[in-house]
Amino acid sequence: MKRRKISEINAGSMADIAFLLLIFFLVTTTMNSNSGLQRKLPPLEKVKKEHPVLERNVMPVHVNQFDAIAIRGFPVSVNSITEKTKEFFTNPNKDENLPEFKMKVLPFIGDFKVSKGLVSLQTDRNTSYEVYLKVQNELVRAVNELRDDLSLKLFNLHFDDLSKDKQDAVSNAYPLAISEAEPRRMT
């Protein structure tokens, strides 16, 4: 019985096809990228003069290793951070333990008392990322709500609906004054 000779398959173009498919999938595939907190960092100053900061102008927020939150040494829940931060920046009752103000002339607004307040966020190295983000979100929410309230009061529009110039003016009235210290081991 005669056996047939098996013809060989020319695989020379197979590598070209595989390479083209690889390029196609690399070009058409989207990669998920995790984005961090979106913050605009202040410009780097070459020589920074140290100005003494009054204790009343700083609202320390601490999150310990057990995710317990304290503002000025008093325990608080995540849900109360927004209101406490808004009260800190506005000082509605002119409390001597809350921040001072400085008068600024702002475009579209005029004379406005801008808070000298600064929120200082300090976390423990073992603070959970989830609680850290919740605290961050509440602090930013407070400033955003203050900006939105001022926008509605002055321009009868929400902050997001204002022109860029008016948004800048309102942002200068309520700056995002949040400082983060490097995480450390709290006891």
Side-chain angles (χ1 to χ4, degrees), residues 37-39 58-63 69-72 76-90 117-123 130-148 174-181:
L37 298 173
Q38 295 181 358
R39 296 283 180 272
V58 178
M59 182 176 90
V61 179
H62 293 100
V63 185
I69 305 162
I71 294 179
R72 293 192 165 193
V76 296
S77 68
V78 172
N79 300 334
S80 65
I81 293 173
T82 300
E83 289 308 314
K84 294 215 176 276
T85 305
K86 286 169 67 173
E87 180 184 354
F88 175 75
F89 282 126
T90 58
L118 171 73
V119 175
S120 175
L121 176 60
Q122 175 75 56
T123 59
E130 179 184 353
V131 171
Y132 167 75
L133 284 177
K134 284 181 182 179
V135 171
Q136 269 284 344
N137 287 340
E138 294 303 312
L139 293 172
V140 172
R141 176 179 297 161
V143 174
N144 288 341
E145 286 181 9
L146 289 171
R147 289 175 178 176
D148 205 47
Y174 289 111
L176 187 61
I178 301 172
S179 163
E180 287 188 53

Side-chain angles (χ1 to χ4, degrees), residues 148-165:
D148 205 47
D149 291 345
L150 184 61
S151 300
L152 286 169
K153 179 181 174 186
L154 295 176
F155 307 112
N156 215 21
L157 291 170
H158 288 280
F159 179 78
D160 292 335
D161 298 331
L162 295 176
S163 68
K164 174 80 170 102
D165 293 340

